[in-house]
Amino acid sequence: MPRLAVIVPMHNEQEMAELFLARVLPAAKQCTNDFEFIFVNDGSTDDTLARLKAAANEHPFVKIVSLSRNFGKEAAVTAGLENSSADAVIIMDADLQDPPEIIPLFWEKFQQGFENVYGVRTDRGADSFLKRITAQTFYKIYNLLADTPLPYNAGDFRLMSRRAVNAVLALPERERFMKGLFSWVGYKSAAVPFCRAPREAGKSKWNYWRLWNFALNGLTASTTVPLKLWTYFGMTVSLFAFVFAAWTAYKKIIWGNPVSGYTSLMVVILFFSGVQLITLGIIGEYLSRIFIEVKRRPAYLIDEKINF
Ligand code: UDP
Ligand code: MG
């Protein structure tokens, strides 16, 4: 059982296969000589797998879990975690945006007894203005609603003890919002600040539509407040409606009722049809996820494993 495992999800990262090892190997050696690298090939359509295999041929500590198709980063990380047996597990992106120099700092914290050590981006200069704003808004809303808060600007880049990893793996859900799961399991946690570098090579797999769905997944997985909110909204509105109805009836009795009020009628109808559609949509969001969960499909399928 190695002491340290580095888990790297890879989707079309052919440029990074060798670059990554060259940069991260010295950092891992600084911690211990007993380590393994687990590369998860997440359905790459380029040369990634071939290059990983070449590296695995050369180094016995390079292990590959190749998935049967692209399952997304969350599933790929889960596959890596499930196939590691190390005492401490580090998760990092393949593109070296997570600086390897931080790994010894993570290790140091682990030696001090911390079991959930996460990197926190001190500067998001590498991201666009829009991405920074949307990310910040997401964290704000998430922390307002979810039971366990997410540390601001903490990504997936982290070290976890075997105990914490086992706890994450014991959570049975299929839709895996890893950041949320990591913070949910708790244990003695520490933050290590770092600067996020721009991508070393290749290009980002995320666009705003994917990020939006990622955010929705995260929120619906961690809170049911959006579902329950409408009860209170409905109660408040009904209260106003009763008062208004009484007032209208009173007016009718006292002054009669010359037909008027087209505008207010339209405004009220349009407003509440909008609200109703939104609530239906929110119910749909949860319902679709319940549907996915009850199907109980595996989060990923493995095509082949190398050097295990
Ligand atoms: N990734 C993956 N499967 C996917 C998309 C991404 O395994 O479907 C990996 C990718 O290879 C990289 C990490 O997830 O190692 C982060 O992806 P990326 O750098 O594109 O995201 P960003 O840094 O732009 O948020
Ligand atoms: Mg990246």
Side-chain angles (χ1 to χ4, degrees):
M1 201 198 272
R3 304 212 45 218
L4 175 69
V6 180
I7 290 175
V8 194
M10 281 198 162
H11 175 62
N12 292 346
E13 304 276 7
Q14 56 181 9
E15 298 91 342
M16 294 313 304
E18 292 111 20
L19 258 178
F20 183 89
L21 261 188
R23 280 280 305 283
V24 183
L25 203 50
K29 280 185 178 154
Q30 250 179 289
C31 307
T32 167
N33 276 323
D34 190 10
F35 54 78
E36 62 181 2
F37 283 79
I38 301 180
F39 292 98
V40 184
N41 173 38
D42 184 18
S44 300
T45 49
D46 63 359
D47 221 17
T48 304
L49 185 58
R51 296 202 191 183
L52 285 177
K53 279 182 175 168
N57 241 332
E58 202 178 322
H59 309 288
F61 57 79
V62 170
K63 305 181 178 184
I64 306 172
V65 177
S66 188
L67 305 186
S68 66
R69 62 170 171 84
N70 178 250
F71 282 93
K73 182 182 170 185
E74 311 298 296
V77 169
T78 306
L81 291 176
E82 274 179 348
N83 284 284
S84 76
S85 53
D87 300 334
V89 176
I90 288 176
I91 300 166
M92 78 193 273
D93 285 358
D95 53 11
L96 293 175
Q97 285 195 284
D98 305 329
E101 296 72 39
I102 306 299
I103 290 177
L105 301 182
F106 280 180
W107 184 254
E108 206 176 292
K109 290 273 180 206
F110 175 62
Q111 299 296 330
Q112 291 165 9
F114 291 95
E115 303 201 45
N116 204 340
V117 188
Y118 52 90
V120 174
R121 288 166 236 174
T122 48
D123 123 80
R124 296 186 71 122
D127 293 337
S128 71
F129 177 71
L130 187 61
K131 180 140 184 206
R132 284 203 299 265
I133 290 289
T134 45
Q136 208 180 358
T137 315
F138 170 72
Y139 280 109
K140 279 233 173 76
I141 296 177
Y142 187 98
N143 286 346
L144 196 70
L145 301 181
D147 305 331
T148 46
L150 281 183
Y152 273 86
N153 291 330
D156 287 341
F157 183 33
R158 67 179 58 227
L159 177 149
M160 275 186 300
S161 69
R162 172 78 351 226
R163 200 156 68 130
V165 169
N166 287 346
V168 168
L169 292 178
L171 301 178
E173 52 249 71
R174 304 291 116 145
E175 283 284 324
R176 302 186 75 79
F177 181 67
M178 294 310 261
K179 266 192 266 217
L181 303 188
F182 295 152
S183 84
W184 187 88
V185 300
Y187 292 119
K188 212 173 158 204
S189 307
V192 176
F194 73 98
C195 277
R196 195 149 209 247
R199 218 175 207 287
E200 198 82 1
K203 59 177 194 293
S204 173
K205 276 94 202 160
W206 296 92
N207 54 38
Y208 281 101
W209 178 242
R210 279 184 88 162
L211 280 174
W212 163 249
N213 281 296
F214 185 60
L216 270 188
N217 267 341
L219 279 173
T220 49
S222 318
T223 172
T224 51
V225 170
L227 274 176
K228 297 190 227 160
L229 187 73
W230 304 101
T231 315
Y232 302 97
F233 185 80
M235 288 197 301
T236 317
V237 167
S238 306
L239 201 70
F240 276 111
F242 282 128
V243 174
F244 187 67
W247 164 242
T248 317
Y250 173 77
K251 264 203 325 193
K252 156 93 176 142
I253 292 160
I254 303 294
W255 292 299
N257 189 12
V259 178
S260 74
Y262 173 77
T263 318
S264 57
L265 211 59
M266 278 314 275
V267 167
V268 169
I269 289 175
L270 288 178
F271 176 72
F272 287 105
S273 2
V275 169
Q276 278 167 12
L277 285 178
I278 292 172
T279 46
L280 266 182
I282 290 174
I283 294 172
E285 291 291 340
Y286 279 92
L287 190 65
S288 67
R289 282 167 179 84
I290 295 171
F291 180 59
I292 290 169
E293 295 295 335
V294 294
K295 281 195 289 188
R296 305 249 59 126
R297 291 193 181 168
Y300 60 86
L301 287 179
I302 294 176
D303 178 29
E304 57 177 327
K305 298 211 286 191
I306 291 158
N307 272 356
F308 278 91

